[in-house]
PDB file of all heavy atoms in Angstrom:
ATOM      1  N   GLU D  55      31.766 -42.485 -52.423  1.00  0.00           N
ATOM      2  CA  GLU D  55      32.550 -41.262 -52.607  1.00  0.00           C
ATOM      3  C   GLU D  55      32.147 -40.570 -53.902  1.00  0.00           C
ATOM      4  O   GLU D  55      31.962 -39.354 -53.944  1.00  0.00           O
ATOM      5  CB  GLU D  55      34.045 -41.597 -52.597  1.00  0.00           C
ATOM      6  CG  GLU D  55      34.522 -42.092 -51.244  1.00  0.00           C
ATOM      7  CD  GLU D  55      35.903 -42.724 -51.271  1.00  0.00           C
ATOM      8  OE1 GLU D  55      36.448 -42.955 -52.373  1.00  0.00           O
ATOM      9  OE2 GLU D  55      36.429 -43.001 -50.183  1.00  0.00           O
ATOM     10  N   TYR D  56      31.991 -41.357 -54.966  1.00  0.00           N
ATOM     11  CA  TYR D  56      31.606 -40.806 -56.263  1.00  0.00           C
ATOM     12  C   TYR D  56      30.217 -40.173 -56.213  1.00  0.00           C
ATOM     13  O   TYR D  56      30.019 -39.042 -56.671  1.00  0.00           O
ATOM     14  CB  TYR D  56      31.653 -41.894 -57.337  1.00  0.00           C
ATOM     15  CG  TYR D  56      31.181 -41.410 -58.680  1.00  0.00           C
ATOM     16  CD1 TYR D  56      32.005 -40.659 -59.501  1.00  0.00           C
ATOM     17  CD2 TYR D  56      29.890 -41.695 -59.125  1.00  0.00           C
ATOM     18  CE1 TYR D  56      31.569 -40.199 -60.737  1.00  0.00           C
ATOM     19  CE2 TYR D  56      29.447 -41.235 -60.351  1.00  0.00           C
ATOM     20  CZ  TYR D  56      30.284 -40.500 -61.153  1.00  0.00           C
ATOM     21  OH  TYR D  56      29.841 -40.035 -62.368  1.00  0.00           O
ATOM     22  N   LEU D  57      29.245 -40.891 -55.672  1.00  0.00           N
ATOM     23  CA  LEU D  57      27.876 -40.376 -55.618  1.00  0.00           C
ATOM     24  C   LEU D  57      27.807 -39.091 -54.792  1.00  0.00           C
ATOM     25  O   LEU D  57      27.137 -38.132 -55.174  1.00  0.00           O
ATOM     26  CB  LEU D  57      26.928 -41.429 -55.051  1.00  0.00           C
ATOM     27  CG  LEU D  57      26.651 -42.627 -55.964  1.00  0.00           C
ATOM     28  CD1 LEU D  57      25.916 -43.722 -55.201  1.00  0.00           C
ATOM     29  CD2 LEU D  57      25.860 -42.198 -57.187  1.00  0.00           C
ATOM     30  N   GLY D  58      28.509 -39.061 -53.664  1.00  0.00           N
ATOM     31  CA  GLY D  58      28.527 -37.859 -52.836  1.00  0.00           C
ATOM     32  C   GLY D  58      29.121 -36.678 -53.572  1.00  0.00           C
ATOM     33  O   GLY D  58      28.555 -35.573 -53.587  1.00  0.00           O
ATOM     34  N   LYS D  59      30.266 -36.884 -54.219  1.00  0.00           N
ATOM     35  CA  LYS D  59      30.925 -35.799 -54.963  1.00  0.00           C
ATOM     36  C   LYS D  59      30.051 -35.333 -56.124  1.00  0.00           C
ATOM     37  O   LYS D  59      29.942 -34.136 -56.388  1.00  0.00           O
ATOM     38  CB  LYS D  59      32.280 -36.256 -55.485  1.00  0.00           C
ATOM     39  CG  LYS D  59      33.338 -36.338 -54.413  1.00  0.00           C
ATOM     40  CD  LYS D  59      34.657 -36.829 -54.987  1.00  0.00           C
ATOM     41  CE  LYS D  59      35.677 -37.061 -53.890  1.00  0.00           C
ATOM     42  NZ  LYS D  59      36.923 -37.621 -54.411  1.00  0.00           N
ATOM     43  N   TYR D  60      29.445 -36.280 -56.828  1.00  0.00           N
ATOM     44  CA  TYR D  60      28.612 -35.934 -57.980  1.00  0.00           C
ATOM     45  C   TYR D  60      27.438 -35.049 -57.560  1.00  0.00           C
ATOM     46  O   TYR D  60      27.199 -33.991 -58.144  1.00  0.00           O
ATOM     47  CB  TYR D  60      28.104 -37.201 -58.673  1.00  0.00           C
ATOM     48  CG  TYR D  60      27.152 -36.912 -59.804  1.00  0.00           C
ATOM     49  CD1 TYR D  60      27.630 -36.555 -61.058  1.00  0.00           C
ATOM     50  CD2 TYR D  60      25.773 -36.976 -59.613  1.00  0.00           C
ATOM     51  CE1 TYR D  60      26.760 -36.274 -62.098  1.00  0.00           C
ATOM     52  CE2 TYR D  60      24.898 -36.696 -60.643  1.00  0.00           C
ATOM     53  CZ  TYR D  60      25.396 -36.341 -61.887  1.00  0.00           C
ATOM     54  OH  TYR D  60      24.539 -36.054 -62.902  1.00  0.00           O
ATOM     55  N   LEU D  61      26.701 -35.460 -56.540  1.00  0.00           N
ATOM     56  CA  LEU D  61      25.536 -34.694 -56.110  1.00  0.00           C
ATOM     57  C   LEU D  61      25.946 -33.361 -55.481  1.00  0.00           C
ATOM     58  O   LEU D  61      25.262 -32.352 -55.660  1.00  0.00           O
ATOM     59  CB  LEU D  61      24.679 -35.518 -55.153  1.00  0.00           C
ATOM     60  CG  LEU D  61      23.995 -36.721 -55.810  1.00  0.00           C
ATOM     61  CD1 LEU D  61      23.341 -37.606 -54.755  1.00  0.00           C
ATOM     62  CD2 LEU D  61      22.975 -36.265 -56.844  1.00  0.00           C
ATOM     63  N   ALA D  62      27.058 -33.343 -54.770  1.00  0.00           N
ATOM     64  CA  ALA D  62      27.550 -32.087 -54.196  1.00  0.00           C
ATOM     65  C   ALA D  62      27.936 -31.104 -55.302  1.00  0.00           C
ATOM     66  O   ALA D  62      27.703 -29.897 -55.176  1.00  0.00           O
ATOM     67  CB  ALA D  62      28.720 -32.352 -53.265  1.00  0.00           C
ATOM     68  N   SER D  63      28.497 -31.620 -56.401  1.00  0.00           N
ATOM     69  CA  SER D  63      28.884 -30.744 -57.514  1.00  0.00           C
ATOM     70  C   SER D  63      27.668 -30.099 -58.165  1.00  0.00           C
ATOM     71  O   SER D  63      27.780 -29.049 -58.784  1.00  0.00           O
ATOM     72  CB  SER D  63      29.699 -31.519 -58.557  1.00  0.00           C
ATOM     73  OG  SER D  63      28.870 -32.371 -59.324  1.00  0.00           O
ATOM     74  N   LYS D  64      26.507 -30.727 -58.015  1.00  0.00           N
ATOM     75  CA  LYS D  64      25.259 -30.178 -58.546  1.00  0.00           C
ATOM     76  C   LYS D  64      24.634 -29.166 -57.588  1.00  0.00           C
ATOM     77  O   LYS D  64      23.636 -28.541 -57.909  1.00  0.00           O
ATOM     78  CB  LYS D  64      24.250 -31.301 -58.820  1.00  0.00           C
ATOM     79  CG  LYS D  64      24.722 -32.329 -59.814  1.00  0.00           C
ATOM     80  CD  LYS D  64      24.827 -31.714 -61.183  1.00  0.00           C
ATOM     81  CE  LYS D  64      25.253 -32.750 -62.201  1.00  0.00           C
ATOM     82  NZ  LYS D  64      25.506 -32.169 -63.508  1.00  0.00           N
ATOM     83  N   GLY D  65      25.194 -29.066 -56.378  1.00  0.00           N
ATOM     84  CA  GLY D  65      24.686 -28.112 -55.398  1.00  0.00           C
ATOM     85  C   GLY D  65      23.423 -28.565 -54.689  1.00  0.00           C
ATOM     86  O   GLY D  65      22.707 -27.745 -54.122  1.00  0.00           O
ATOM     87  N   THR D  66      23.135 -29.857 -54.736  1.00  0.00           N
ATOM     88  CA  THR D  66      21.891 -30.345 -54.132  1.00  0.00           C
ATOM     89  C   THR D  66      22.071 -30.881 -52.719  1.00  0.00           C
ATOM     90  O   THR D  66      21.109 -30.933 -51.962  1.00  0.00           O
ATOM     91  CB  THR D  66      21.259 -31.449 -55.000  1.00  0.00           C
ATOM     92  OG1 THR D  66      22.203 -32.497 -55.176  1.00  0.00           O
ATOM     93  CG2 THR D  66      20.833 -30.915 -56.348  1.00  0.00           C
ATOM     94  N   ILE D  67      23.278 -31.296 -52.373  1.00  0.00           N
ATOM     95  CA  ILE D  67      23.553 -31.832 -51.043  1.00  0.00           C
ATOM     96  C   ILE D  67      24.951 -31.375 -50.616  1.00  0.00           C
ATOM     97  O   ILE D  67      25.699 -30.826 -51.408  1.00  0.00           O
ATOM     98  CB  ILE D  67      23.471 -33.382 -50.988  1.00  0.00           C
ATOM     99  CG1 ILE D  67      24.454 -34.034 -51.991  1.00  0.00           C
ATOM    100  CG2 ILE D  67      22.069 -33.871 -51.282  1.00  0.00           C
ATOM    101  CD1 ILE D  67      25.739 -34.429 -51.406  1.00  0.00           C
ATOM    102  N   ILE D  68      25.295 -31.680 -49.367  1.00  0.00           N
ATOM    103  CA  ILE D  68      26.648 -31.487 -48.858  1.00  0.00           C
ATOM    104  C   ILE D  68      27.269 -32.875 -48.755  1.00  0.00           C
ATOM    105  O   ILE D  68      26.640 -33.806 -48.253  1.00  0.00           O
ATOM    106  CB  ILE D  68      26.638 -30.839 -47.452  1.00  0.00           C
ATOM    107  CG1 ILE D  68      25.927 -29.489 -47.460  1.00  0.00           C
ATOM    108  CG2 ILE D  68      28.048 -30.743 -46.881  1.00  0.00           C
ATOM    109  CD1 ILE D  68      26.651 -28.383 -48.164  1.00  0.00           C
ATOM    110  N   SER D  69      28.484 -33.037 -49.230  1.00  0.00           N
ATOM    111  CA  SER D  69      29.213 -34.288 -49.068  1.00  0.00           C
ATOM    112  C   SER D  69      30.532 -33.969 -48.382  1.00  0.00           C
ATOM    113  O   SER D  69      31.262 -33.085 -48.819  1.00  0.00           O
ATOM    114  CB  SER D  69      29.469 -34.958 -50.421  1.00  0.00           C
ATOM    115  OG  SER D  69      30.141 -36.183 -50.251  1.00  0.00           O
ATOM    116  N   VAL D  70      30.808 -34.681 -47.307  1.00  0.00           N
ATOM    117  CA  VAL D  70      31.999 -34.393 -46.509  1.00  0.00           C
ATOM    118  C   VAL D  70      32.509 -35.701 -45.905  1.00  0.00           C
ATOM    119  O   VAL D  70      31.720 -36.596 -45.605  1.00  0.00           O
ATOM    120  CB  VAL D  70      31.660 -33.350 -45.413  1.00  0.00           C
ATOM    121  CG1 VAL D  70      30.598 -33.842 -44.470  1.00  0.00           C
ATOM    122  CG2 VAL D  70      32.897 -32.915 -44.666  1.00  0.00           C
ATOM    123  N   ASN D  71      33.827 -35.823 -45.754  1.00  0.00           N
ATOM    124  CA  ASN D  71      34.320 -37.051 -45.141  1.00  0.00           C
ATOM    125  C   ASN D  71      34.151 -36.985 -43.632  1.00  0.00           C
ATOM    126  O   ASN D  71      34.010 -35.910 -43.050  1.00  0.00           O
ATOM    127  CB  ASN D  71      35.768 -37.371 -45.561  1.00  0.00           C
ATOM    128  CG  ASN D  71      36.780 -36.408 -45.005  1.00  0.00           C
ATOM    129  OD1 ASN D  71      36.786 -36.110 -43.821  1.00  0.00           O
ATOM    130  ND2 ASN D  71      37.656 -35.908 -45.863  1.00  0.00           N
ATOM    131  N   GLU D  72      34.145 -38.137 -43.000  1.00  0.00           N
ATOM    132  CA  GLU D  72      33.825 -38.200 -41.575  1.00  0.00           C
ATOM    133  C   GLU D  72      34.844 -37.491 -40.695  1.00  0.00           C
ATOM    134  O   GLU D  72      34.514 -37.063 -39.593  1.00  0.00           O
ATOM    135  CB  GLU D  72      33.636 -39.649 -41.122  1.00  0.00           C
ATOM    136  CG  GLU D  72      34.835 -40.525 -41.292  1.00  0.00           C
ATOM    137  CD  GLU D  72      34.521 -41.986 -41.065  1.00  0.00           C
ATOM    138  OE1 GLU D  72      33.685 -42.548 -41.788  1.00  0.00           O
ATOM    139  OE2 GLU D  72      35.125 -42.559 -40.144  1.00  0.00           O
ATOM    140  N   ASP D  73      36.064 -37.325 -41.174  1.00  0.00           N
ATOM    141  CA  ASP D  73      37.087 -36.655 -40.378  1.00  0.00           C
ATOM    142  C   ASP D  73      36.874 -35.145 -40.282  1.00  0.00           C
ATOM    143  O   ASP D  73      37.373 -34.506 -39.359  1.00  0.00           O
ATOM    144  CB  ASP D  73      38.481 -36.929 -40.947  1.00  0.00           C
ATOM    145  CG  ASP D  73      38.852 -38.403 -40.905  1.00  0.00           C
ATOM    146  OD1 ASP D  73      38.372 -39.102 -39.986  1.00  0.00           O
ATOM    147  OD2 ASP D  73      39.609 -38.847 -41.780  1.00  0.00           O
ATOM    148  N   THR D  74      36.150 -34.580 -41.242  1.00  0.00           N
ATOM    149  CA  THR D  74      35.959 -33.128 -41.246  1.00  0.00           C
ATOM    150  C   THR D  74      34.512 -32.703 -41.009  1.00  0.00           C
ATOM    151  O   THR D  74      34.206 -31.512 -41.025  1.00  0.00           O
ATOM    152  CB  THR D  74      36.454 -32.520 -42.574  1.00  0.00           C
ATOM    153  OG1 THR D  74      35.733 -33.120 -43.655  1.00  0.00           O
ATOM    154  CG2 THR D  74      37.948 -32.741 -42.751  1.00  0.00           C
TER     155      THR D  74
END
Side-chain angles (χ1 to χ4, degrees):
E55 293 167 350
Y56 176 79
L57 289 169
K59 285 179 186 176
Y60 175 81
L61 292 171
S63 75
K64 300 292 182 186
T66 57
I67 58 96
I68 302 289
S69 182
V70 61
N71 69 49
E72 61 190 60
D73 297 330
T74 59

